Amino acid sequence: MHRIRMVWQNIISQLTKENKKFIFGAMKKGARASEFEEAIQWLTDAGVVYKVTRVNEVRMPLKFYEERNVFKLFILDVGLMGAMGDVPANQIITGESIFKEYKGAFTEVYVESQLATTDIPVYYHSVNSSRIELDFVIQLSDNVYPVEVKAEENVKAKSMKIFINNNPELKGIRLSMKNHENQSWLENIPLFAFREYLSERNRMPD
């Protein structure tokens, strides 16, 4: 139970870092993955945490490129995350001050909570030798798609742009507060419409 509590209490602080990969050493000095495997499994089995593993290549099928020992952990939903962080509900719903520091983490938790209600394979992508990181990588019926999450209308997407330039056969998805926009290399989807978008795209024939 102590190790379950340690993992649970560390998720928020690790989600708010630029590199959101779960770091065992952040919980205690010298911590090893083997010490906390059962604790993480208990939390995921209980349905209060989502585990998103890394892929080292963005190709179909994504499962072939999964690195199971590298992952991010997400809280069940933004309401629970706000409660864990002692964030007043009215600040999440109407205020902007809280998002100056944590808006990205809250928005990624929202997106993952939408993905978790589907049967769509979900991963993320990064490589140790590069600063490029894709927030999510999903596999729909017709292809794989890198996904970048933005909390506002400021949608500069340096990592995504570089990645697509290096992989021109792919097309990115950006989730933001901007209206729908379909470009040659990227499609912007409003955050509120993401779940409907997933349903429609996952039914598309090849």
Side-chain angles (χ1 to χ4, degrees):
M1 185 61 71
H2 174 64
R3 290 175 180 174
I4 294 173
R5 188 177 298 111
M6 287 180 66
V7 173
W8 180 250
Q9 293 174 345
N10 269 268
I11 293 176
I12 289 182
S13 63
Q14 299 214 27
L15 276 177
T16 56
K17 296 177 181 177
E18 184 175 353
N19 179 2
K20 296 178 175 61
K21 180 179 75 171
F22 195 82
I23 306 295
F24 292 97
M27 292 187 288
K28 71 173 185 176
K29 187 176 180 179
R32 296 173 298 176
S34 58
E35 296 179 68
F36 294 94
E37 287 177 351
E38 289 188 9
I40 291 172
Q41 189 63 52
W42 189 94
L43 288 167
T44 55
D45 288 346
V48 294
V49 164
Y50 299 126
K51 183 178 179 181
V52 177
T53 52
R54 184 169 75 175
V55 288
N56 52 42
E57 295 285 348
V58 183
R59 301 178 185 175
M60 290 186 72
L62 290 171
K63 188 72 175 178
F64 285 12
Y65 305 98
E66 180 182 24
E67 298 179 83
R68 295 189 61 83
N69 61 331
V70 183
F71 54 86
K72 298 191 285 190
L73 293 180
F74 291 90
I75 300 296
L76 173 65
D77 59 32
V78 293
L80 182 56
M81 183 174 177
M84 290 174 64
D86 296 326
V87 180
N90 65 319
Q91 288 194 5
I92 297 177
I93 297 171
T94 62
E96 295 184 358
S97 61
I98 187 63
F99 292 110
K100 290 180 181 178
E101 187 71 25
Y102 301 114
K103 59 185 176 183
F106 271 92
T107 309
E108 285 192 34
V109 167
Y110 165 76
V111 170
E112 171 55 23
S113 69
Q114 302 298 298
L115 288 164
T117 63
T118 72
D119 59 356
I120 296 170
V122 183
Y123 303 88
Y124 84 100
H125 172 69
S126 69
V127 290
N128 295 332
S129 59
S130 171
R131 297 189 64 182
I132 293 176
E133 178 172 320
L134 302 174
D135 297 325
F136 298 100
V137 180
I138 60 176
Q139 183 174 315
L140 299 178
S141 60
D142 55 342
N143 210 337
V144 293
Y145 294 87
V147 178
E148 186 158 65
V149 177
K150 297 292 184 181
E152 299 178 342
E153 292 190 21
N154 180 1
V155 292
K156 291 183 179 180
K158 185 176 180 180
S159 287
M160 177 72 83
K161 184 66 173 177
I162 294 172
F163 181 82
I164 296 297
N165 284 344
N166 293 332
N167 299 272
E169 74 280 5
L170 298 178
K171 183 171 183 176
I173 296 173
R174 181 179 62 211
L175 305 173
S176 74
M177 295 299 290
K178 289 179 67 69
N179 292 328
H180 180 263
E181 182 180 4
N182 198 354
Q183 303 175 56
S184 60
W185 65 282
L186 179 144
E187 186 171 7
N188 187 86
I189 307 298
L191 281 162
F192 67 84
F194 185 46
R195 183 65 178 82
E196 182 178 356
Y197 173 86
L198 290 174
S199 298
E200 292 178 357
R201 288 303 299 266
N202 211 29
R203 290 196 299 266
M204 290 176 59
D206 294 341

